[in-house]
Structures are given as structure tokens and as C-alpha cells.
């Protein structure tokens, strides 16, 4: 009798384990229904942007007709130039880049440091401080407008960019977001090993915390930049038309007895372009950061 004849048949558990291992190496393929749903979601998501571009390429009279236009016209560059000149978007774009860029860098930096402290360091009243930080997220920002304006006026910063930047240098959401991520993504043993090797606190933050937090920092940076770029309530109160951000400048396009809707749409399209460019340049890194964070979590 040969050796193969003496081999016992695999049990049910062995068969299930083999199927699991073989299935783990297979790549999942989407069916036709998945593609249909994804295409529908993409069309619904792109519809407002496409309509803005279509309206920006038409005349105000054509937009008032029924049915409305469904395809591009020939006035796009003319309306873009009119919106750029009427709203002074050159200065507004530069101001928004300064404001949104500064807020993004400071929020990501301070929120990462604070999140690391709440996640991995032990100090007195840490739980209470975290609770107070989260509690500030429940306060409507409209309640802080009047005292914040009076505070900035006492500093003599009326109609200056630091009036918009200072209140948003760090956010409670960013701190809580980074804290929740670092609790799972940053092993305590790694910090202890770095300290045993003689690393200072600054070296631990730079060489251990920041690399581990990079995916979440990318996501938080994108969210912060979009929010700071689109912020309207506080900038319209703190700034004027001589030194505006993009959203404040676009507000001037809607004034007048009969606002030109085509020019307004052209201005909105110009105000959206920097966000689209940011998504095109950094979208791959941001999606990769989200996926990496999901795997670690």
C-alpha cells in the first residue's frame, strides 16, 4: 500500500480553511449594478458644478428663458473676465490663499500635538480638558460673533486678515479627530522604545508621532482648507470690500437692481477652481491616507 493511499481525507475544518486561504488571494470584482450605482452618484455629484459652468457660459437673458439651457454657450470667458474685474478677485484669491493656508497649517500642527497629548500622555485633568474641548463643538458659532468682533476691534485689527485667521488657528474638531486616530494608530510601545533610545519629546513628536499621524493629517488638512476657503459668516463681518476673501468678494456680484446671474455663476466657478485643483493634485494622497487610516483603525 502506497503512502498516498494511507493519507487521510481532509476534514471539514481543513476544507474550510483551504477555501478561506484561497479566497483571500482572489481579487473582488464589481458587478454591473455596482457600476450603474457609481455612475449615478457621480452624475448627481457633478450636476451642480456642470450647471454652474453652463450658466456661466450663457447670457443673463438666456438663463431667464424657459426651458433653461442645458449645454455650454459662447460667453464663458467674457463672463469670467467680468466677474474677475467686478469683484476684484485677484486680491481676494491671494487673501483667501493666505487665510486658508495659514489656518490649515496651524490647525493640522496644533491639533496633532493636542491629539497626541490627549491620546498618549498622562497628565492631571486630561479627561476633563478633553470633555471641555468636545463641549465647545456644541456651541453655535453665531453666539461668538459679537464678543469676537469686539475683541478684535480692541486689538485694532478691523478689516485685516489676522482678524479672520486668529480665531481659527486650531479647532476642537481637529483635536478630537487626531486624538481618536492616534489612540489606534500609534502604539504606546513605539513611544516607549523611542524614549529608551534617548529621544527627547520633540524628537519623539517629529520622528514617531508625525509619521504615524500623516494619513489623518492629510484628511484634516483638506477638510480645514475647504472650510476656511468657503467660510463666509465671519469674513463678511470682519472684512470689507477693500480687503476681502473670495466669498466676501463674490457677495458684491449679487448687488445692484438687476444682478447678472451669468456673471454671478462665473464668479462662483472661479471661486471653486482652487478647490478643484487641490483635489486633483492631492486627491490620491488623501484617498490613500483615508484607506491607510481605515486599515489601521
Amino acid at each position: 500500500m502506497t503512502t498516498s493511499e494511507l493519507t487521510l481525507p481532509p476534514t471539514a475544518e481543513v476544507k474550510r480553511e483551504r477555501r478561506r486561504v484561497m479566497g483571500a488571494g482572489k481579487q473582488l470584482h464589481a458587478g454591473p449594478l455596482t457600476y450603474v450605482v457609481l455612475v449615478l452618484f457621480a452624475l448627481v455629484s457633478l450636476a451642480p458644478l456642470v450647471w454652474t459652468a453652463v450658466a456661466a457660459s450663457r447670457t443673463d437673458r438666456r438663463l431667464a428663458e424657459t426651458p433653461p439651457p442645458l449645454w455650454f454657450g459662447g460667453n464663458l470667458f467674457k463672463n469670467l473676465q467680468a466677474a474677475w474685474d467686478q469683484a476684484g478677485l485677484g486680491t481676494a484669491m491671494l487673501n483667501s490663499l493666505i487665510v486658508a493656508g495659514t489656518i490649515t497649517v496651524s490647525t493640522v500642527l496644533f491639533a496633532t500635538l493636542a491629539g497626541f497629548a490627549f491620546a498618549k500622555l498622562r497628565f492631571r485633568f486630561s479627561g476633563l480638558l478633553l470633555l471641555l474641548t468636545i463641549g465647545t463643538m456644541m456651541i453655535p458659532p453665531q453666539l461668538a460673533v459679537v464678543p469676537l468682533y469686539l475683541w478684535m476691534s480692541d486689538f485694532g485689527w478691523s478689516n485685516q486678515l489676522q482678524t479672520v485667521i486668529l480665531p481659527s488657528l486650531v479647532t476642537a474638531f481637529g483635536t478630537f479627530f487626531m486624538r481618536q486616530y492616534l489612540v489606534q494608530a500609534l502604539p504606546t510601545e513605539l513611544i516607549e522604545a523611542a524614549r529608551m533610545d534617548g529621544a527627547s519629546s520633540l524628537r519623539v513628536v517629529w520622528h514617531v508621532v508625525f509619521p504615524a499621524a500623516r494619513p489623518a493629517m492629510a484628511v484634516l488638512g483638506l477638510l480645514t482648507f475647504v472650510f476656511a476657503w468657503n467660510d463666509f459668516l465671519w469674513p463678511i463681518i470682519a472684512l470689507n470690500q477693500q480687503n476681502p476673501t473670495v466669498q466676501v468678494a463674490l457677495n458684491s456680484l449679487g448687488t445692484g437692481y438687476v444682478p447678472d446671474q451669468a456673471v454671478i455663476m462665473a464668479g462662483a466657478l472661479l471661486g471653486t477652481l482652487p478647490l478643484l485643483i487641490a483635489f486633483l493634485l492631492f486627491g490620491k494622497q488623501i484617498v490613500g491616507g483615508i484607506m491607510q487610516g481605515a486599515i489601521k483603525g
Side-chain angles (χ1 to χ4, degrees):
M1 186 175 292
T2 62
T3 306
S4 60
E5 294 175 346
L6 294 175
T7 304
L8 296 176
T11 62
E13 295 182 0
V14 173
K15 290 181 179 180
R16 285 196 298 268
E17 182 65 20
R18 287 179 179 177
R19 286 195 297 267
R20 188 188 68 81
V21 174
M22 293 176 63
K26 295 180 180 180
Q27 184 177 4
L28 297 177
H29 295 279
L33 181 61
T34 303
Y35 287 104
V36 172
V37 173
L38 291 176
V39 169
L40 289 177
F41 271 101
L43 292 177
V44 171
S45 301
L46 291 175
L49 181 61
V50 174
W51 165 247
T52 301
V54 170
S57 65
R58 295 288 183 164
T59 62
D60 190 50
R61 178 179 298 180
R62 178 65 184 90
L63 293 179
E65 296 177 357
T66 303
L70 299 178
W71 193 245
F72 299 94
N75 295 328
L76 178 60
F77 294 103
K78 177 182 177 182
N79 291 334
L80 290 176
Q81 185 64 46
W84 184 276
D85 295 336
Q86 292 180 24
L89 287 180
T91 302
M93 286 281 189
L94 179 60
N95 288 343
S96 285
L97 285 175
I98 295 173
V99 170
T102 304
I103 291 176
T104 299
V105 172
S106 65
T107 298
V108 171
L109 175 62
F110 294 138
T112 302
L113 295 175
F116 165 65
F118 282 124
K120 296 299 177 180
L121 300 184
R122 297 293 176 262
F123 53 94
R124 296 181 62 183
F125 308 115
S126 60
L128 178 61
L129 291 175
L130 179 61
L131 185 62
L132 291 175
T133 301
I134 298 174
T136 60
M137 299 170 58
M138 304 178 186
I139 301 175
Q142 293 82 359
L143 295 180
V145 167
V146 173
L148 191 59
Y149 183 81
L150 295 176
W151 187 23
M152 295 300 166
S153 297
D154 292 339
F155 286 160
W157 288 353
S158 298
N159 301 322
Q160 298 183 29
L161 296 182
Q162 56 263 38
T163 308
V164 181
I165 294 174
L166 185 63
S168 303
L169 287 178
V170 66
T171 61
F173 168 77
T175 301
F176 179 71
F177 177 79
M178 295 304 303
R179 186 261 178 192
Q180 293 300 105
Y181 179 83
L182 289 173
V183 166
Q184 298 290 336
L186 182 60
T188 305
E189 294 79 6
L190 192 61
I191 301 174
E192 294 175 351
R195 293 199 178 277
M196 290 180 64
D197 290 339
S200 62
S201 298
L202 182 60
R203 193 176 184 85
V204 170
V205 169
W206 185 260
H207 292 283
V208 178
V209 178
F210 283 169
R214 190 175 297 131
M217 293 170 69
V219 177
L220 178 62
L222 173 66
L223 296 176
T224 304
F225 184 85
V226 172
F227 178 81
W229 184 273
N230 291 329
D231 190 19
F232 177 75
L233 176 63
W234 177 237
I236 194 64
I237 296 173
L239 302 177
N240 56 23
Q241 292 297 333
Q242 282 67 45
N243 192 33
T245 58
V246 167
Q247 309 307 325
V248 177
L250 292 179
N251 184 58
S252 64
L253 294 177
T255 59
Y257 185 72
V258 182
D260 193 328
Q261 298 297 327
V263 175
I264 293 175
M265 289 297 182
L269 186 61
L270 286 172
T272 308
L273 283 179
L275 299 180
L276 296 177
I277 293 174
F279 273 105
L280 291 176
L281 292 179
F282 305 108
K284 185 176 180 181
Q285 290 82 352
I286 293 168
V287 172
I290 296 174
M291 295 304 298
Q292 185 176 349
I295 294 172
K296 287 184 177 181

